[in-house]
């Protein structure tokens, strides 16, 4: 029997109450917001930070969005029951959640650089971090990916990136790092619109 | 959900799903307005007062059969600045995790019998009426707690897992 999936609805302006209650000022319910800490001193891999802001089509910073990221560990293994290539690093969550700052719109994740992951259809995917964005006015969460500009050879061989026709727009998701910090600004619309994925 | 004051209490129950694969041990997070329609959020300015005994958020993990229960109060409808006179029907926001992130879902649950549902532009953003109906929790008399709480049943269906991905949003949104 096939059931029809429940439709998605906007997260609304108060998503923080439910998903980052401590950040929204509701203390004393949970010790910490889920997804706030991805790494510990025992986590394997190169420490990086990913930060940025989300812009709408008019260039206005979106300040009430919430972002979740998923990624493989340093060896390219995922912290998931579906991982078949061995256990992922037990000291790495592989998942993070961050509310954009209500004043500045900035988000920031402190994580590690992931390894490459095999593509189900063959070949290797370049290291990447999957992003999921929800906010007021967005009915269906937006999916995109951050790739690392220094991985030139791996990027050229990536089976998903190869399918993107507009090569000039790859720069919206292939991001150079500076001292381990990757600034990933996300444009929801307009001439600089980020490449979003239908997954 | 920190519901210590009397109010219209509601329990939600998700009985065993007819799906062959139910979501065991899945995280569900919820948030909602209080009985007066006010959210506990610093940017919320609706005139209804905050309820000092109601936080407005809750979370749980589904059991081995995919079931969950939240014990809370019936949220109030509230007006919002959209058209001249738009009200949100009473609703609870739901965030649900599947096994892969392609199944990640955020949605809203409505209550059977609420006249505001079919007037709401946010509900109306879903064009398929059956899909809207799937977001309306049904009154579940068998699971009420006598002299204490009414019950509503809200089943959630996550999309199937897909192993491939393609990009279709190169041009605009
Ligand atoms: Fe709401």
């Amino acid at each position: 029997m096939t059931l029809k999936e429940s439709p998605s609805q906007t997260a609304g302006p108060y998503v923080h109450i439910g998903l980052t209650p401590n950040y929204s000022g509701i203390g004393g319910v949970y010790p910490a917001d889920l997804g706030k800490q991805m790494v510990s001193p025992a986590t394997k891999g190169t420490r990086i930070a990913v930060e940025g802001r989300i812009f709408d089509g008019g260039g206005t910073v979106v300040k009430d969005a919430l972002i979740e990221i998923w990624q493989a560990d340093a060896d390219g293994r995922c912290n998931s029951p579906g991982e078949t290539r061995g256990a992922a690093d037990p000291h790495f969550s592989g998942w993070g959640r961050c509310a954009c700052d209500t004043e500045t719109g900035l988000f920031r994740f402190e994580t590690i650089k992931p390894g490459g992951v095999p593509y189900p259809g063959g070949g290797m995917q370049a290291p990447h971090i999957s992003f999921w964005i929800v906010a007021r006015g967005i009915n269906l969460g937006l999916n995109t990916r951050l790739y690392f500009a220094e991985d030139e050879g791996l990027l050229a061989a990536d089976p998903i990136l190869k399918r993107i026709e507009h090569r000039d727009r790859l720069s919206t998701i292939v991001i150079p790092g500076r001292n381990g910090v990757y600034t990933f600004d996300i444009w929801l619309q307009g001439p600089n619109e980020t490449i979003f994925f239908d997954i | 959900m920190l519901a210590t004051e009397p109010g219209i209490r509601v329990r939600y129950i998700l009985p065993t799903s007819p799906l062959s694969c139910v979501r065991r041990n899945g995280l569900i997070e919820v948030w909602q307005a209080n009985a007066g329609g006010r959210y506990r959020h610093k940017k919320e300015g609706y005139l209804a007062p905050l309820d000092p005994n109601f936080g407005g958020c809750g979370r749980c993990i589904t059991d081995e059969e995919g079931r969950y229960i939240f014990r809370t109060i019936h949220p109030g409808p509230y007006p919002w600045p959209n058209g001249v006179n738009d009200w949100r029907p009473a609703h609870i926001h739901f965030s649900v995790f599947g096994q892969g992130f392609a199944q990640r879902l955020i949605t809203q649950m409505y209550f059977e019998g609420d006249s505001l549902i079919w007037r709401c532009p946010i509900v109306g953003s879903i064009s398929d009426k059956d899909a809207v109906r799937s977001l309306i929790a049904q009154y579940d008399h068998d699971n009420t707690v006598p002299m204490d709480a009414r019950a509503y049943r809200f089943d959630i269906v996550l999309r199937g897992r897909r192993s491939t991905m393609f990009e279709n949003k190169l041009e605009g949104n």
Side-chain angles (χ1 to χ4, degrees):
Chain A
M1 175 179 172
T2 305
L3 293 178
K4 230 175 146 181
E5 71 188 72
S6 304
S8 175
Q9 289 249 271
T10 178
Y14 307 132
V15 59
H16 316 90
I17 297 174
L19 304 192
T20 55
N22 288 289
Y23 179 72
S24 77
I26 302 177
V29 183
Y30 305 126
D33 289 333
L34 294 177
K36 194 171 164 56
Q37 193 176 348
M38 299 179 69
V39 297
S40 71
T43 307
K44 282 199 290 180
T46 308
R47 266 59 179 169
I48 61 168
V50 176
E51 58 182 29
R53 289 177 296 173
I54 300 176
F55 296 89
D56 69 14
T60 303
V61 178
V62 178
K63 296 175 180 171
D64 54 9
L66 181 125
I67 301 176
E68 291 181 6
I69 63 173
W70 282 263
Q71 65 170 94
D73 70 10
D75 295 324
R77 294 197 182 103
C78 300
N79 181 358
S80 155
E83 177 57 82
T84 55
R85 294 162 298 138
D89 181 354
H91 302 291
F92 181 57
S93 75
W95 174 76
R97 176 187 276 170
C98 181
C100 293
D101 187 278
T102 46
E103 303 299 325
T104 63
L106 265 176
F107 65 83
R108 182 179 168 93
F109 293 95
E110 294 187 7
T111 182
I112 51 134
K113 181 161 179 193
V117 180
Y119 184 59
M124 282 296 285
Q125 302 186 64
H128 62 272
I129 299 178
S130 296
F131 276 64
W132 181 75
I133 300 156
V134 292
R136 175 173 46 98
I138 299 176
N139 290 328
L140 182 64
L142 297 171
N143 289 284
T144 185
R145 289 178 162 198
L146 176 155
Y147 290 86
F148 300 89
E150 68 270 18
D151 297 332
E152 282 166 22
L154 296 167
L155 290 166
D158 184 285
I160 291 174
L161 293 180
K162 270 191 204 164
R163 293 166 65 175
I164 294 174
E165 289 166 42
H166 301 253
R167 308 307 295 175
D168 55 325
R169 297 197 46 221
L170 281 177
S171 63
T172 64
I173 57 171
V174 177
I175 306 299
R178 249 182 72 184
N179 303 322
V181 179
Y182 294 80
T183 300
F184 184 32
D185 285 333
I186 296 167
W187 289 77
L188 301 180
Q189 277 178 311
N192 305 321
E193 185 182 314
T194 300
I195 293 177
F196 294 107
F197 295 85
D198 184 5
I199 63 172
Chain B
M1 231 193 272
L2 290 181
T4 57
E5 284 293 285
I8 309 169
R9 290 187 186 157
V10 186
R11 294 198 321 160
Y12 308 96
I13 186 162
L14 179 75
T16 309
S17 164
L19 276 174
S20 57
C21 175
V22 297
R23 181 63 183 120
R24 297 185 180 90
N25 309 322
L27 173 65
I28 299 184
E29 295 158 288
V30 293
W31 65 103
Q32 66 168 85
N34 68 22
R38 171 81 184 259
Y39 283 98
R40 186 177 291 279
H41 193 282
K42 52 192 168 221
K43 295 214 165 160
E44 154 79 295
Y46 182 41
L47 54 80
L50 282 172
D51 177 346
N53 298 301
F54 185 66
C57 61
R59 70 186 186 199
C60 76
I61 304 280
T62 59
D63 73 7
E64 288 301 309
E65 290 168 333
R67 293 176 300 195
Y68 68 92
I69 295 177
F70 288 105
R71 182 179 173 84
T72 182
I73 54 155
H74 196 299
Y78 57 85
W80 62 298
N82 181 54
V84 178
N85 184 16
D86 280 318
W87 292 72
R88 294 303 325 281
H91 63 276
I92 297 179
H93 296 265
F94 271 72
S95 160
V96 185
F97 283 79
Q99 286 182 307
F101 81 88
Q103 295 177 298
R104 188 78 178 83
L105 175 72
I106 280 188
T107 191
Q108 303 183 24
M109 186 208 96
Y110 303 96
F111 293 84
E112 179 187 1
D114 187 337
S115 322
L116 294 169
I117 294 172
W118 300 101
R119 292 175 178 269
C120 173
I122 288 178
V123 173
S125 67
I126 302 169
S127 52
D128 175 358
K129 291 240 174 357
D130 283 338
V132 171
R133 284 187 197 99
S134 74
L135 296 183
I136 303 175
Q138 300 298 301
Y139 176 64
D140 179 10
H141 193 70
D142 290 346
N143 279 301
T144 56
V145 181
M147 305 303 285
D148 179 35
R150 290 180 290 132
Y152 283 82
R153 170 180 167 151
F154 182 47
D155 289 349
I156 299 162
V157 181
L158 300 178
R159 67 189 297 182
R161 298 190 66 190
R162 286 176 41 190
S163 56
T164 58
M165 114 166 15
F166 58 93
E167 200 230 12
N168 75 342
K169 289 188 179 169
L170 284 171
E171 305 298 336
N173 260 350

